Amino acid sequence: MRPRPDPAGPGQESVWSFPRPAIAQPCAAHVVIEHRGVVIADSRASVRTLETSHPPSYYIPRADIIPAVLRRAYGSSFCEWKGAATYWDVVVGDSVLPRVGWSYANPTPGFASLRDHIAFYAGPFDRCSVDGETVVPQPGDFYGGWITSAFAGPFKGVPGSHGW
């Protein structure tokens, strides 16, 4: 059952106008990740993925991420659109955030722009922001979208949304 989209306000995008299958597009928004007083990532050159009912996931160029904090994590997964995903831990001092990032070393042709970029779940970090606004993590324990006031929902991941 498809839910009723929330009305989009001025300057908002409705996640219900996003395409399916998903797409990737360049994004000039200022994306920042902070944890334990360290700026983990700071970028104005991310790639955002858009998919119906999902807030965007932001893939940050590796060059805009502090390399010393990344550690390859166990496991992998497969996305029908993007290909095989690799997971990343983030290590800041004695703090380890397991499997908080994912990337596609060899993405499918439609998602080639994701090569050498990493996306992160917002929830485990002290602060993730887009253009200065602190994001709210997409609901659920699987999805990695970042919710800001720029997007109208409802967002996949809430109870009862599995079939959206």
Side-chain angles (χ1 to χ4, degrees):
M1 175 180 95
R2 182 179 163 140
R4 175 171 293 154
D6 296 335
Q12 281 190 315
E13 294 178 86
S14 172
V15 297
W16 291 93
S17 66
F18 291 168
R20 185 166 176 89
I23 62 167
Q25 63 179 205
C27 180
H30 189 199
V31 176
V32 178
I33 300 174
E34 302 168 64
H35 192 67
R36 298 246 171 135
V38 176
V39 175
I40 305 298
D42 188 332
S43 184
R44 293 180 186 273
S46 63
V47 175
R48 70 180 193 164
T49 56
L50 305 178
E51 180 181 352
T52 305
S53 77
H54 294 262
S57 293
Y58 294 88
Y59 288 77
I60 301 168
R62 286 188 68 132
D64 293 344
I65 303 166
I66 297 173
V69 301
L70 294 174
R71 180 175 73 192
R72 178 80 184 267
Y74 68 89
S76 64
S77 63
F78 185 81
C79 172
E80 62 186 310
W81 296 308
K82 299 177 205 97
T86 298
Y87 289 89
W88 299 92
D89 298 337
V90 169
V91 181
V92 179
D94 62 352
S95 174
V96 177
L97 303 176
R99 292 174 53 96
V100 295
W102 67 97
S103 63
Y104 298 90
N106 295 299
T108 60
F111 290 89
S113 61
L114 299 183
R115 184 175 285 110
D116 298 322
H117 288 62
I118 301 176
F120 296 90
Y121 292 105
F125 294 98
D126 291 340
R127 183 171 189 256
C128 295
S129 63
V130 176
D131 287 336
E133 181 181 347
T134 300
V135 306
V136 173
Q138 183 174 5
D141 60 359
F142 178 74
Y143 304 111
W146 291 15
I147 301 171
T148 67
S149 60
F151 304 102
F155 306 101
K156 186 167 178 122
V158 297
S161 66
H162 181 72
W164 291 3

Coordinates of all heavy atoms in Angstrom, one line a residue, residues 7-59:
P7 N 2.3 17.0 2.1 CA 2.5 18.2 1.1 C 3.9 18.8 1.2 O 4.4 18.9 2.4 CB 1.4 19.2 1.6 CG 0.6 18.5 2.7 CD 1.3 17.3 3.1
A8 N 4.5 19.1 0.1 CA 5.8 19.7 0.1 C 5.6 21.2 0.3 O 4.7 21.8 -0.4 CB 6.5 19.4 -1.2
G9 N 6.3 21.8 1.2 CA 6.3 23.2 1.5 C 7.2 24.0 0.5 O 7.9 23.4 -0.3
P10 N 7.2 25.3 0.7 CA 8.1 26.1 -0.2 C 9.6 25.7 0.0 O 10.0 25.5 1.1 CB 7.9 27.5 0.4 CG 6.6 27.5 1.1 CD 6.4 26.1 1.6
G11 N 10.2 25.4 -1.1 CA 11.6 25.0 -1.1 C 11.9 23.6 -0.7 O 13.0 23.2 -0.6
Q12 N 10.8 22.8 -0.6 CA 11.0 21.4 -0.2 C 10.9 20.5 -1.5 O 10.2 20.9 -2.4 CB 9.9 20.9 0.8 CG 10.2 21.3 2.2 CD 9.2 20.6 3.1 OE1 8.0 20.5 2.8 NE2 9.7 20.0 4.2
E13 N 11.5 19.4 -1.4 CA 11.3 18.3 -2.4 C 10.6 17.2 -1.7 O 10.9 16.8 -0.6 CB 12.7 17.7 -2.9 CG 13.6 18.7 -3.6 CD 14.9 18.0 -4.0 OE1 15.0 17.3 -5.0 OE2 15.8 18.2 -3.2
S14 N 9.6 16.6 -2.4 CA 8.9 15.4 -1.9 C 9.7 14.2 -2.3 O 10.0 14.0 -3.5 CB 7.5 15.4 -2.5 OG 6.9 14.1 -2.1
V15 N 9.9 13.3 -1.3 CA 10.6 12.1 -1.7 C 9.7 11.2 -2.5 O 10.2 10.2 -3.1 CB 11.1 11.3 -0.4 CG1 12.1 12.2 0.4 CG2 9.9 10.9 0.5
W16 N 8.5 11.5 -2.6 CA 7.5 10.8 -3.5 C 7.6 11.2 -4.9 O 7.1 10.5 -5.8 CB 6.1 10.9 -2.9 CG 6.1 10.1 -1.6 CD1 6.3 10.6 -0.4 CD2 6.0 8.7 -1.5 NE1 6.3 9.6 0.5 CE2 6.1 8.4 -0.1 CE3 5.8 7.6 -2.4 CZ2 6.1 7.1 0.4 CZ3 5.8 6.4 -1.9 CH2 5.9 6.1 -0.5
S17 N 8.4 12.3 -5.2 CA 8.6 12.6 -6.6 C 10.0 12.1 -7.1 O 10.4 12.3 -8.2 CB 8.6 14.2 -6.8 OG 9.7 14.8 -6.1
F18 N 10.7 11.5 -6.2 CA 12.0 10.9 -6.5 C 11.7 9.6 -7.4 O 10.7 9.0 -7.2 CB 12.8 10.5 -5.3 CG 13.4 11.7 -4.5 CD1 13.9 11.5 -3.3 CD2 13.4 12.9 -5.0 CE1 14.4 12.5 -2.5 CE2 13.9 14.0 -4.3 CZ 14.4 13.8 -3.0
P19 N 12.7 9.2 -8.3 CA 12.4 8.1 -9.2 C 12.6 6.7 -8.6 O 13.2 6.6 -7.5 CB 13.5 8.4 -10.3 CG 14.6 9.0 -9.6 CD 13.9 9.9 -8.5
R20 N 12.1 5.8 -9.2 CA 12.4 4.4 -8.9 C 12.5 3.7 -10.3 O 11.5 3.8 -11.1 CB 11.3 3.7 -8.1 CG 11.6 2.3 -7.7 CD 10.7 1.8 -6.6 NE 11.0 0.4 -6.3 CZ 11.8 0.0 -5.4 NH1 12.5 0.9 -4.7 NH2 12.0 -1.3 -5.1
P21 N 13.6 3.1 -10.7 CA 14.8 2.9 -9.8 C 15.5 4.1 -9.4 O 15.3 5.2 -10.0 CB 15.6 1.9 -10.7 CG 15.2 2.1 -12.1 CD 13.8 2.6 -12.0
A22 N 16.4 4.0 -8.5 CA 17.1 5.1 -7.9 C 18.0 5.7 -9.0 O 18.4 5.1 -10.0 CB 17.9 4.6 -6.7
I23 N 18.5 7.0 -8.7 CA 19.5 7.6 -9.5 C 20.5 8.3 -8.6 O 20.3 8.4 -7.4 CB 18.8 8.8 -10.4 CG1 18.2 9.8 -9.5 CG2 17.9 8.2 -11.4 CD1 17.8 11.1 -10.3
A24 N 21.6 8.6 -9.2 CA 22.7 9.4 -8.5 C 22.9 10.7 -9.2 O 22.9 10.7 -10.4 CB 24.0 8.6 -8.5
Q25 N 23.1 11.8 -8.4 CA 23.3 13.1 -9.0 C 24.3 13.9 -8.2 O 24.3 13.7 -6.9 CB 22.0 13.8 -9.2 CG 21.3 14.2 -8.0 CD 20.0 15.0 -8.2 OE1 19.6 15.7 -7.3 NE2 19.4 14.9 -9.3
P26 N 25.1 14.7 -8.8 CA 26.1 15.5 -8.1 C 25.3 16.5 -7.2 O 24.2 16.9 -7.4 CB 26.8 16.3 -9.2 CG 26.5 15.7 -10.5 CD 25.2 14.9 -10.3
C27 N 26.0 16.8 -6.1 CA 25.3 17.6 -5.0 C 26.4 18.6 -4.5 O 27.4 18.2 -4.0 CB 24.8 16.8 -3.9 SG 24.0 17.7 -2.6
A28 N 26.1 19.9 -4.6 CA 27.0 20.9 -4.1 C 26.7 21.3 -2.6 O 27.4 22.2 -2.1 CB 26.9 22.1 -5.0
A29 N 25.7 20.7 -2.0 CA 25.4 21.0 -0.6 C 26.7 20.8 0.3 O 27.5 20.0 0.0 CB 24.3 20.2 -0.1
H30 N 26.8 21.6 1.4 CA 27.9 21.4 2.3 C 27.6 20.3 3.3 O 26.7 20.4 4.1 CB 28.1 22.7 3.0 CG 29.4 22.7 3.9 ND1 29.6 23.6 4.9 CD2 30.5 21.9 3.8 CE1 30.8 23.4 5.4 NE2 31.3 22.4 4.8
V31 N 28.2 19.1 3.1 CA 28.0 17.9 3.9 C 29.1 17.8 4.9 O 30.3 17.7 4.5 CB 27.8 16.7 3.0 CG1 27.7 15.4 3.8 CG2 26.7 16.9 2.0
V32 N 28.8 17.7 6.2 CA 29.8 17.6 7.3 C 29.4 16.4 8.2 O 28.2 16.3 8.6 CB 30.0 18.9 8.0 CG1 31.0 18.8 9.2 CG2 30.3 20.0 7.1
I33 N 30.4 15.6 8.6 CA 30.2 14.6 9.7 C 31.2 14.9 10.8 O 32.4 15.1 10.5 CB 30.5 13.2 9.1 CG1 29.5 12.9 8.0 CG2 30.4 12.2 10.2 CD1 29.8 11.6 7.3
E34 N 30.7 14.9 12.0 CA 31.6 15.2 13.2 C 31.4 14.1 14.2 O 30.2 13.6 14.4 CB 31.2 16.5 13.8 CG 31.3 17.7 12.9 CD 30.7 19.0 13.4 OE1 31.1 19.5 14.5 OE2 29.7 19.4 12.8
H35 N 32.5 13.7 14.9 CA 32.4 12.8 16.0 C 33.5 13.0 17.0 O 34.7 13.1 16.5 CB 32.4 11.3 15.4 CG 32.0 10.3 16.4 ND1 30.8 10.2 17.0 CD2 32.8 9.3 17.0 CE1 30.7 9.2 17.8 NE2 31.9 8.7 17.9
R36 N 33.2 13.0 18.2 CA 34.2 13.2 19.3 C 35.1 14.4 19.0 O 36.3 14.3 19.2 CB 35.0 11.9 19.5 CG 34.2 10.7 19.9 CD 34.6 10.3 21.3 NE 33.7 9.3 21.8 CZ 34.1 8.3 22.4 NH1 35.4 8.0 22.6 NH2 33.2 7.4 22.9
G37 N 34.5 15.5 18.6 CA 35.3 16.7 18.3 C 36.1 16.7 17.1 O 36.9 17.6 16.8
V38 N 36.0 15.7 16.2 CA 36.8 15.6 15.0 C 35.8 15.7 13.8 O 34.8 15.1 13.8 CB 37.5 14.2 14.9 CG1 38.3 14.1 13.6 CG2 38.5 14.0 16.1
V39 N 36.2 16.5 12.9 CA 35.5 16.6 11.6 C 36.0 15.4 10.7 O 37.1 15.4 10.2 CB 35.7 17.9 10.9 CG1 35.0 17.9 9.5 CG2 35.2 19.1 11.8
I40 N 35.1 14.4 10.6 CA 35.4 13.2 9.9 C 35.4 13.5 8.4 O 36.2 12.9 7.6 CB 34.4 12.1 10.2 CG1 34.3 11.8 11.7 CG2 34.6 10.8 9.4 CD1 35.6 11.3 12.3
A41 N 34.4 14.2 7.9 CA 34.3 14.5 6.5 C 33.7 15.9 6.3 O 32.9 16.4 7.2 CB 33.3 13.5 5.9
D42 N 34.1 16.6 5.3 CA 33.7 18.0 5.0 C 33.7 18.1 3.5 O 34.8 18.0 2.9 CB 34.6 19.0 5.7 CG 34.1 20.4 5.5 OD1 33.4 20.7 4.6 OD2 34.4 21.2 6.4
S43 N 32.6 18.2 2.8 CA 32.5 18.1 1.4 C 31.5 19.1 0.8 O 30.4 19.3 1.4 CB 32.2 16.7 0.9 OG 32.3 16.6 -0.5
R44 N 31.8 19.6 -0.3 CA 30.8 20.3 -1.2 C 30.8 19.7 -2.6 O 30.4 20.3 -3.5 CB 31.3 21.8 -1.3 CG 31.2 22.6 0.0 CD 31.6 24.0 -0.2 NE 31.6 24.7 1.0 CZ 30.6 25.4 1.6 NH1 29.4 25.3 1.1 NH2 30.8 26.0 2.8
A45 N 31.2 18.4 -2.6 CA 31.3 17.7 -3.9 C 30.7 16.2 -3.7 O 31.2 15.3 -4.3 CB 32.7 17.6 -4.4
S46 N 29.7 16.1 -2.9 CA 29.1 14.7 -2.7 C 28.2 14.4 -3.9 O 28.0 15.2 -4.8 CB 28.3 14.7 -1.4 OG 27.2 15.6 -1.5
V47 N 27.8 13.1 -3.9 CA 26.8 12.6 -4.8 C 25.7 12.1 -4.0 O 25.9 11.4 -3.0 CB 27.4 11.4 -5.7 CG1 26.3 10.8 -6.6 CG2 28.6 11.9 -6.5
R48 N 24.5 12.5 -4.3 CA 23.3 12.0 -3.6 C 22.5 11.0 -4.4 O 22.5 11.2 -5.6 CB 22.4 13.2 -3.1 CG 21.7 13.9 -4.1 CD 20.8 15.0 -3.5 NE 19.9 15.5 -4.5 CZ 18.8 16.2 -4.3 NH1 18.5 16.6 -3.0 NH2 18.0 16.6 -5.2
T49 N 22.0 10.0 -3.7 CA 21.2 9.1 -4.4 C 19.8 9.4 -4.0 O 19.5 9.7 -2.9 CB 21.5 7.6 -4.1 OG1 21.5 7.4 -2.7 CG2 22.9 7.2 -4.6
L50 N 18.9 9.3 -5.0 CA 17.5 9.6 -4.8 C 16.7 8.4 -5.2 O 16.9 7.8 -6.3 CB 17.1 10.8 -5.7 CG 17.9 12.1 -5.5 CD1 17.4 13.1 -6.4 CD2 17.8 12.5 -4.0
E51 N 15.7 8.0 -4.4 CA 14.8 6.9 -4.6 C 13.5 7.2 -4.0 O 13.4 7.7 -2.9 CB 15.4 5.6 -4.1 CG 14.5 4.4 -4.3 CD 15.1 3.1 -3.7 OE1 16.2 3.1 -3.3 OE2 14.3 2.1 -3.7
T52 N 12.4 6.8 -4.7 CA 11.0 7.1 -4.2 C 10.9 6.6 -2.7 O 11.3 5.5 -2.4 CB 10.0 6.3 -5.0 OG1 10.2 6.6 -6.4 CG2 8.6 6.6 -4.6
S53 N 10.4 7.5 -1.9 CA 10.1 7.3 -0.5 C 11.3 7.4 0.4 O 11.1 7.2 1.6 CB 9.3 6.0 -0.3 OG 10.1 4.9 -0.3
H54 N 12.5 7.6 -0.1 CA 13.7 7.7 0.7 C 14.3 9.1 0.7 O 14.4 9.7 -0.3 CB 14.8 6.8 0.1 CG 14.5 5.3 0.2 ND1 15.0 4.5 1.1 CD2 13.7 4.6 -0.7 CE1 14.5 3.3 0.9 NE2 13.8 3.3 -0.2
P55 N 14.7 9.6 1.9 CA 15.5 10.8 1.9 C 16.9 10.5 1.2 O 17.3 9.3 1.2 CB 15.7 11.2 3.3 CG 15.5 9.9 4.1 CD 14.6 9.0 3.2
P56 N 17.6 11.5 0.7 CA 18.8 11.2 0.0 C 19.9 10.5 0.9 O 19.9 10.8 2.1 CB 19.3 12.6 -0.4 CG 18.2 13.4 -0.3 CD 17.3 12.9 0.7
S57 N 20.7 9.7 0.3 CA 22.0 9.3 1.0 C 23.1 10.1 0.3 O 23.0 10.3 -1.0 CB 22.2 7.8 0.7 OG 21.3 7.0 1.4
Y58 N 24.0 10.6 1.1 CA 25.1 11.4 0.5 C 26.4 10.6 0.5 O 26.9 10.1 1.5 CB 25.3 12.6 1.4 CG 24.1 13.6 1.3 CD1 23.0 13.4 2.2 CD2 24.0 14.6 0.4 CE1 21.9 14.2 2.1 CE2 22.9 15.4 0.3 CZ 21.8 15.2 1.2 OH 20.7 16.0 1.1
Y59 N 26.9 10.4 -0.7 CA 28.2 9.7 -0.9 C 29.3 10.8 -1.0 O 29.3 11.6 -1.9 CB 28.2 8.9 -2.2 CG 27.3 7.7 -2.0 CD1 25.9 7.8 -2.1 CD2 27.8 6.4 -1.8 CE1 25.0 6.7 -1.9 CE2 27.0 5.3 -1.7 CZ 25.6 5.5 -1.7 OH 24.8 4.4 -1.6

